[in-house]
Amino acid sequence: GQGRCYPLTMLDDHSRYSQILKACTNERTETVKPHLIESFRRFGLPNCMNMDNGNPWGNPTGERYTKLTVWMIRLGVGISHSRPLHPQTNGKEERFHRTLKAELLGNRWFSTIAEVQKAFDAWREIYNHERPHEALGLEVPASRYRASVRCYPEVLPPIEYNATDLVRSVRPHGQVYLAGLNYYVGQAFDGQKVALRPTHQDGVWDVFFCHERIATINRRVPPPDDASEHDAS
């Protein structure tokens, strides 16, 4: 065999339609991203994606964003994570994995990843187009599924912020500079431009990357001296 298989799955929340079912040899961004691009080209961009906190969607340090989720925000996809240690907040996906394991992975031995993928493709076809789904009134997922009308942009459009925003580039180690001090907003945003917007609370700023609020800066609380510590939430 070729070692462990990590199934990469993506389900449409409304119809339970399986958009991605790929046999991967690891959970790294460079492995996952091409599969996402292939799906976005074929089915359009989702409005929002809910994901677990494991690689490459989250990371062990507890940071909310990774290079992969930053790229997805840049595409205009909303990001939400299931609560740590509460996989039931991603219930449909968990159920899909359980079914996949019970029907396919739990009782068969595969010698290559290509063999797994062949079995995945056949199983996905039946799941989407032939099997009645109780939650859909015994309809099949394909009967309820509608592809997104939002096309995948082959060239990313420039990021546009409001004229009133304070725009800053995120410096190495995930910091932005404001009024003589460095504030931590997230290492995954290194080199990106973010917008700082004052809130109705004096000295408190929201930090946005594209449409997503990624942090809050409180100027009344000085950031820690240690650059690696987290000041923004």
Side-chain angles (χ1 to χ4, degrees):
Q2 291 180 329
R4 193 169 165 197
C5 168
Y6 297 87
L8 171 66
T9 64
M10 188 162 90
L11 278 190
D12 173 54
D13 189 58
H14 167 68
S15 65
R16 318 298 209 272
Y17 186 86
S18 164
Q19 292 159 303
I20 299 177
L21 179 54
K22 292 292 180 184
C24 299
T25 53
N26 59 58
E27 297 174 305
R28 291 201 289 267
T29 292
E30 60 270 24
T31 303
V32 169
K33 192 173 172 180
H35 294 313
L36 290 175
I37 291 172
E38 184 191 349
S39 177
F40 294 161
R41 281 179 178 144
R42 186 174 170 193
F43 298 116
L45 292 174
N47 289 325
C48 182
M49 279 178 69
N50 184 266
M51 54 206 60
D52 64 28
N53 297 280
N55 280 336
W57 318 105
N59 51 43
T61 60
E63 295 250 335
R64 190 154 169 236
Y65 300 102
T66 64
K67 290 290 182 193
L68 186 65
T69 55
V70 167
W71 167 73
M72 288 164 68
I73 293 167
R74 183 79 179 75
L75 287 171
V77 177
I79 301 296
S80 69
H81 287 86
S82 51
R83 282 167 57 206
L85 309 178
H86 286 76
Q88 62 272 28
T89 51
N90 220 347
K92 291 167 190 165
E93 197 61 70
E94 292 292 318
R95 203 154 44 243
F96 181 82
H97 274 262
R98 276 203 305 275
T99 309
L100 181 67
K101 196 170 179 182
E103 295 186 9
L104 200 63
L105 295 174
N107 50 16
R108 276 178 69 179
W109 179 257
F110 298 95
S111 53
T112 65
I113 281 287
E115 211 178 286
V116 181
Q117 189 59 57
K118 201 174 166 191
F120 274 4
D121 291 342
W123 189 87
R124 178 179 170 271
E125 189 65 23
I126 291 166
Y127 173 89
N128 279 340
H129 296 277
E130 294 176 27
R131 173 186 298 178
H133 206 297
E134 218 173 299
L136 302 175
L138 300 182
E139 295 281 340
V140 297
S143 72
R144 294 281 183 92
Y145 180 66
R146 298 288 173 270
S148 169
V149 295
R150 301 169 66 215
C151 294
Y152 172 72
E154 297 297 334
V155 177
L156 285 170
I159 301 173
E160 290 181 1
Y161 291 124
N162 303 331
T164 51
D165 289 340
L166 203 55
V167 177
R168 291 280 189 271
S169 287
V170 181
R171 309 165 94 167
H173 311 300
Q175 296 177 317
V176 292
Y177 192 67
L178 178 64
L181 293 171
N182 280 316
Y183 293 88
Y184 185 84
V185 298
Q187 208 150 344
F189 297 96
D190 284 6
Q192 301 282 3
K193 286 202 169 352
V194 296
L196 278 58
R197 293 175 193 157
T199 66
H200 58 273
Q201 272 180 286
D202 191 40
V204 179
W205 298 67
D206 281 338
V207 184
F208 280 83
F209 174 64
C210 301
H211 61 272
E212 183 101 349
R213 191 181 74 163
I214 59 165
T216 302
I217 287 173
N218 187 347
R219 285 192 51 206
R220 292 166 303 179
V221 181
D225 292 336
D226 180 0
S228 66
E229 291 214 22
H230 302 185
D231 169 66
S233 60

